[in-house]
């Protein structure tokens, strides 16, 4: 059975927070942030939520795909910052879209969430017969960002991206690789708030905001990125020279530059929006893919590699033949 990615969409919060704005909040500078991360500004949700952004991104993807919402029979929402546990974000997005009947689930694989979601959607389409899947990546990281930690808060932003997968005659998903390594050193962590019950007694507050050992995450990210790219290319039997574009997780432009150099792939092939949006976790890859698709730079038949890495430690990639 063949599957194709037939539409993309994205949605951004209205509020823009620049590095200059952060200079007024902490001891940092636009120059330090830009030279160490590539970020100039990020979007921060004020009124928007994971569900509202996810719904807007989904609507854009549905329109781009030229389908009706009720053709969707599977909805996956990748998020690490869900608005609520019951019902999950995916069932809420399904309801907002006016879809009456579709399986819907939330998925948390940190910044690799949309690649994992693509793998899960493909597996469910193959084994359980779903025909049209909506994958949404939506995160409001500003909720769990430690705004007093200048080493991490400068990296993150809020956004949502989405894509539609459909059964097709021609194969559009040529390879998918998902993997993980245990985070034995706790290099990237964030807990729920302390959850007391009448039976647990008082609990100490947990680490409710993102903690990251930037150096260790950096070296994991570059190695994972290279390994997963090579695995997907190998599975499809396609040389790297044939890639038209690579859409990486937008964590830090130095990670992307290092990867490009070590793989000997021209940097121009890596799509980047980290300067405008920072790291938006689950939304990062689908928003970048949507921007690339709408820029008109992709032609039918082009080979596009999606790649992600993040907490867990998760990593993965997907090789697409463009619709
Ligand atoms: N402004 C000014 N100075 C700063 C800032 C800041 N915002 N942050 C740190 N510094 C200072 C440090 O205190 C340190 O000062 P010192 O030498 O006096 O101690 C100096 O700058 C250097 O700090 P480093 O941590 O060594 O800076 P580095 O160049 O490693 O950059 C960064 C830090 C940007 C976090 C980098 O390590 C990184 O990007 N790591 C990868 C993180 C990542 O990509 N995570 C995402 C993947 S997973 C996910 O998406 C959740």
């Amino acid at each position: 059975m063949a599957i194709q990615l037939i539409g993309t969409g994205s949605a951004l919060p209205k509020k823009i927070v620049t590095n200059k704005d952060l200079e007024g909040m902490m001891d940092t500078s636009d120059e330090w942030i830009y030279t160490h991360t590539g970020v100039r500004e990020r979007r921060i949700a004020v009124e928007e939520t994971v569900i509202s952004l996810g719904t807007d991104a989904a609507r854009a993807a549905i329109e781009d795909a030229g389908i009706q919402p009720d053709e969707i029979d599977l909805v996956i929402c990748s998020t690490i910052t869900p608005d609520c546990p019951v019902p999950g974000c995916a069932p809420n997005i399904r309801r907002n879209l006016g879809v009456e009947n579709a399986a819907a689930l939330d998925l948390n694989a940190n910044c690799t969430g949309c690649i994992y979601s693509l793998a899960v959607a493909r597996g469910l389409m193959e084994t359980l017969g779903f025909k049209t899947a909506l994958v949404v990546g939506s995160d409001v990281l500003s909720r769990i960002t430690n705004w007093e930690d200048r080493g991490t808060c400068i990296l993150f932003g809020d956004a949502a991206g989405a894509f539609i997968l459909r059964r097709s005659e021609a194969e559009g998903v040529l390879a998918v690789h998902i993997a993980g390594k245990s985070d034995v050193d706790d290099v990237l962590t964030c807990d729920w708030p302390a959850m007391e019950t009448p039976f647990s007694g008082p609990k100490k507050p947990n680490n409710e905001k993102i903690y990251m050992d930037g150096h260790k995450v950096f070296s994991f990210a570059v190695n994972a990125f290279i390994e997963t790219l090579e695995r997907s290319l190998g599975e499809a039997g396609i040389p790297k020279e044939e890639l038209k574009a690579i859409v990486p997780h937008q964590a830090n432009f130095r990670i992307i530059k290092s990867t490009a150099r070590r793989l000997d792939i021209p940097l121009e092939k890596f799509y980047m929006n980290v300067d405008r949006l920072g790291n938006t976790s689950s939304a990062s890859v689908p928003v970048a893919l949507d921007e690339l698709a709408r820029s008109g730079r992709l032609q039918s038949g082009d080979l596009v590699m999606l790649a992600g890495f993040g907490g867990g430690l998760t990593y993965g990639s997907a090789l697409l033949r463009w619709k």
Side-chain angles (χ1 to χ4, degrees):
M1 189 197 70
I3 293 168
Q4 231 175 9
L5 190 153
I6 59 164
T8 62
S10 55
L12 304 177
K14 288 192 194 69
K15 185 173 179 59
I16 297 174
V17 174
T18 65
N19 291 347
K20 286 270 172 216
D21 295 328
L22 295 183
E23 284 179 5
M25 293 167 61
M26 64 196 71
D27 181 13
T28 191
S29 65
D30 175 48
E31 202 251 333
W32 192 97
I33 300 172
Y34 185 68
T35 54
H36 287 74
T37 69
V39 182
R40 287 272 189 217
E41 60 187 42
R42 71 285 294 141
R43 299 297 180 107
I44 298 293
V46 178
E47 300 292 330
E48 301 91 347
T49 64
V50 166
I51 294 167
S52 73
L53 289 167
T55 303
D56 289 348
R59 286 200 176 108
I62 289 166
E63 194 186 337
D64 186 43
I67 61 166
Q68 295 303 312
D70 60 12
E71 294 176 52
I72 294 167
D73 50 10
L74 174 64
V75 181
I76 301 181
C77 179
S78 165
T79 184
I80 62 170
T81 51
D83 296 333
C84 50
V86 185
C89 294
N92 273 296
I93 292 169
R94 177 187 58 197
R95 187 179 63 181
N96 290 348
L97 296 173
V99 176
E100 284 200 22
N101 295 304
L105 67 142
D106 287 2
L107 186 150
N108 177 342
N110 286 233
C111 303
T112 323
C114 271
I115 311 272
Y116 268 62
S117 298
L118 192 157
V120 170
R122 184 172 78 150
L124 293 176
M125 290 168 90
E126 281 173 357
T127 54
L128 297 183
F130 293 104
K131 290 192 176 66
T132 309
L134 164 66
V135 172
V136 178
S138 184
D139 264 313
V140 177
L141 287 186
S142 54
R143 290 172 175 165
I144 57 166
T145 296
N146 179 353
W147 291 101
E148 290 176 357
D149 177 7
R150 66 177 183 166
T152 56
C153 72
I154 46 133
L155 293 165
F156 302 122
D158 305 332
F163 52 82
I164 307 281
L165 298 171
R166 186 163 228 183
R167 286 189 184 203
S168 59
E169 294 294 315
E171 187 57 272
V173 181
L174 305 186
V176 182
H177 172 244
I178 56 171
K181 286 185 176 26
S182 287
D183 183 5
V184 288
D185 295 325
D186 291 331
V187 298
L188 193 43
T189 59
C190 177
D191 295 332
W192 291 116
M195 287 191 234
E196 291 181 13
T197 72
F199 312 101
S200 67
K203 288 202 166 181
K204 283 195 291 184
N206 296 333
N207 165 30
E208 297 169 23
K209 305 291 179 185
I210 297 174
Y211 162 80
M212 182 174 67
D213 179 332
H215 290 266
K216 288 193 175 146
V217 172
F218 196 104
S219 61
F220 156 74
V222 175
N223 291 328
F225 193 171
I226 292 169
E227 180 193 325
T228 192
L229 223 99
E230 288 177 338
R231 286 287 295 266
S232 280
L233 286 172
E235 186 189 323
I238 287 179
K240 63 187 178 191
E241 291 74 21
E242 288 188 18
L243 290 176
K244 175 70 185 285
I246 298 153
V247 180
H249 173 41
Q250 308 285 316
N252 181 326
F253 82 153
R254 287 163 53 211
I255 292 176
I256 299 171
K257 275 186 183 166
S258 293
T259 306
R261 194 173 50 245
R262 280 180 49 190
L263 282 170
D264 195 21
I265 296 178
L267 190 59
E268 304 72 63
K269 288 199 177 184
F270 291 74
Y271 184 81
M272 280 193 263
N273 62 16
V274 65
D275 58 325
R276 286 179 286 111
L277 301 180
N279 174 351
T280 58
S281 194
S282 298
S284 171
V285 168
V287 170
L289 179 64
D290 182 50
E291 289 185 359
L292 175 64
R294 286 172 196 265
S295 74
R297 276 183 267 169
L298 295 179
Q299 309 296 320
S300 181
D302 280 348
L303 292 168
V304 181
M305 180 73 81
L306 315 181
F309 44 84
L313 299 161
T314 56
Y315 57 111
S317 60
L319 179 60
L320 308 177
R321 189 175 294 285
W322 199 245
K323 55 180 168 140

